[in-house]
Amino acid sequence: MNQNYPDFTADTELDRVRGWTSDFAEENQRPPTYFIQTFGCQQNDHDSEIAAGILEEMGFAEGTSVDDSELVLFNTCSVRANADERFFGHVGRLKPIKKKTLPVIGVLGCMMEQDLHRDVLFKTFSYVDFALGAGAMELLPAALGDVLYSERKQGTRDLTRKESDPFATGQPVRRVKPHRALITVMTGCNNICSYCIVPYTRGREKSRPYEQIMEEAIGTVRSGAVEIMLLGQNVNSYGNDVRLQGGQAPGFAELIRDISLIESLGIVRFMTSHPKDLSDELIEVIGSYPVIEPHVHLPIQSGSDRILKKMNRKYTAAHFLDRVHRLRDSRPGLTITTDLIVGFPGEDEEDFEATLRVMEEARFDAAFTFLYSPRSGTPAASLYDQGDRDLVQGRFERLVELQNQISLESNRSLLGKTVEVLLDGPSRRDPRILSGRTRDDRLVNVSFDDSTSLQADGTDHVNPYVGSFVRVKIVKAGSFSLEGHADIP
Ligand code: SF4
């Protein structure tokens, strides 16, 4: 273990909260329960897994709903306007259930790094007990202990991220899916894309020590993880911050190669990649190590060089396409997914058509498409002019139509073929069907011959196939998913 980083388990605040949970359990003949509502990206999903691990370490048990829990946490996202609005709606609904002291209500995540949102939160919802900024999970025991043991003074437990906070070691994690280990490799971003709030909420890039990541990765595989997902706002610049300060650190290519060599690991996935930082070395590693997923999520955002410049993306459409072709040359069959924004301030028809041309050439296997929405505090917010929303909406629909057609063609190429699918659990629509992902990250709904071996109760614990790769014959293809039949000997 790297001695420069504090050991989380040595935190005395843990004992303070344990004292409270143990008194509660004695009085009520059951442990106090928690409920976490998570908004946003996979990094937030993982932060919530860490929050759950810390709470269970302190004597809480997982609750089933907001209404029957002694502690309610919201893990917030600032990236899109609708996540902000949904969060405030959820907090508002807690007012009738808040008694004198319980449930304790805490708010975590990116929104709590912004003064504007914290002010609105504490002024409008006086029953919220504490706020913690993104990535400040090691402060959860202290914040909770303060609330449980002291008179409430609104806003005093308002703790935001400190630039100097290191990664704590030994933080417990309660993984939502035991077969999938989400592992943070770095936090923050140095890119300052003009529309993006992340650099202001998650801070500057900070790489987690290589030894810490490897220790966690090996540990999760030993405990049964089949899939590892490496997380970071820009994983391609892993280690740059350390090297810039004169230290030594491997790059992302070396890190993911070493992880792919862990014995018994089924697949290693990663996100997100920045097109300007996707190196030839990483492309070569992706092409050479079969355990690394044959898929890259590579956000382009726009195909117009003029708009890319305004977005401060620091690459051109030609550079982006060069990365796409090199990736596909290096690993035949590799899928590429992307993010696209329509209606960025100043975008005209010519810019939009440049985006359509890049989409035609890149043949993205899937895309997350967004209508631009200004995020207050970002440089692009001041450029925003409502403009002609119908025109922008029309462009958005054209873009979605083109992408759906390309995605459908890509998915149809698998019809009749047998592929490996890592099964995640019952599909939301029909618990007799299991959903999972191919190695190249396509969503597949899988049916089985022997339906009696599947549980109809919606739980995945009892299903012998969940968490493993099975061979699946693809029988139907849509733009967003595939259907297949398990080929179990
Ligand atoms: S690369 Fe750009 S879009 Fe991505 S997190 Fe950093 S600033 Fe935001």
Side-chain angles (χ1 to χ4, degrees), residues 189 191-193 195-196 198-199 233-234 274 301 313:
C189 185
N191 283 312
I192 324 282
C193 299
Y195 54 84
C196 181
V198 167
Q233 264 78 37
N234 178 15
H274 194 297
Q301 311 298 7
R313 291 289 288 173

Side-chain angles (χ1 to χ4, degrees), residues 23 35 60 72 79 124 133 158 234 249 309 325 370 452:
D23 291 348
F35 187 83
F60 283 87
V72 178
V79 172
T124 318
D158 176 8
N234 178 15
K309 196 161 185 201
H325 295 311
F370 303 97
T452 55

Side-chain angles (χ1 to χ4, degrees), residues 43-88:
Q43 184 62 60
N44 265 17
D45 288 341
H46 185 47
D47 286 346
S48 292
E49 288 186 333
I50 295 173
I54 294 172
L55 292 172
E56 294 190 8
E57 186 76 28
M58 298 190 297
F60 283 87
E62 189 179 22
T64 51
S65 74
V66 162
D67 301 302
D68 66 7
S69 297
E70 278 71 42
L71 169 65
V72 178
L73 296 181
F74 293 97
N75 195 357
T76 60
C77 168
S78 282
V79 172
R80 312 251 160 240
N82 66 352
D84 293 8
E85 286 151 17
R86 280 192 300 134
F87 157 65
F88 282 125

Side-chain angles (χ1 to χ4, degrees), residues 291-307:
V291 173
I292 300 176
E293 62 170 338
H295 160 246
V296 177
H297 184 69
L298 197 62
I300 183 170
Q301 311 298 7
S302 169
S304 155
D305 288 347
R306 199 177 71 88
I307 295 297

Side-chain angles (χ1 to χ4, degrees), residues 398-417:
R398 282 161 64 199
L399 179 123
V400 169
E401 195 184 326
L402 174 62
Q403 183 53 51
N404 287 352
Q405 183 199 321
I406 297 172
S407 299
L408 182 60
E409 282 167 28
S410 164
N411 282 340
R412 277 189 179 148
S413 68
L414 293 188
L415 276 175
K417 293 189 178 154

Side-chain angles (χ1 to χ4, degrees), residues 68-117:
D68 66 7
S69 297
E70 278 71 42
L71 169 65
V72 178
L73 296 181
F74 293 97
N75 195 357
T76 60
C77 168
S78 282
V79 172
R80 312 251 160 240
N82 66 352
D84 293 8
E85 286 151 17
R86 280 192 300 134
F87 157 65
F88 282 125
H90 281 277
V91 184
R93 281 197 283 281
L94 289 188
K95 189 170 183 188
I97 69 162
K98 177 84 176 190
K99 306 286 182 299
K100 194 163 176 257
T101 52
L102 294 176
V104 171
I105 300 169
V107 183
L108 322 171
C110 288
M111 281 178 76
M112 295 303 101
E113 290 291 344
Q114 296 170 278
D115 294 344
L116 176 76
H117 288 314

Side-chain angles (χ1 to χ4, degrees), residues 79 188-200 202-203 205 232-234 272-277 299 301 311-313 339 341:
V79 172
C189 185
N190 289 358
N191 283 312
I192 324 282
C193 299
S194 63
Y195 54 84
C196 181
I197 196 71
V198 167
Y200 310 96
R202 293 263 172 188
E205 286 173 2
Q233 264 78 37
N234 178 15
T272 297
S273 290
H274 194 297
K276 83 172 163 52
D277 297 318
Q301 311 298 7
M311 288 177 164
N312 196 31
R313 291 289 288 173
D339 296 336
I341 297 174

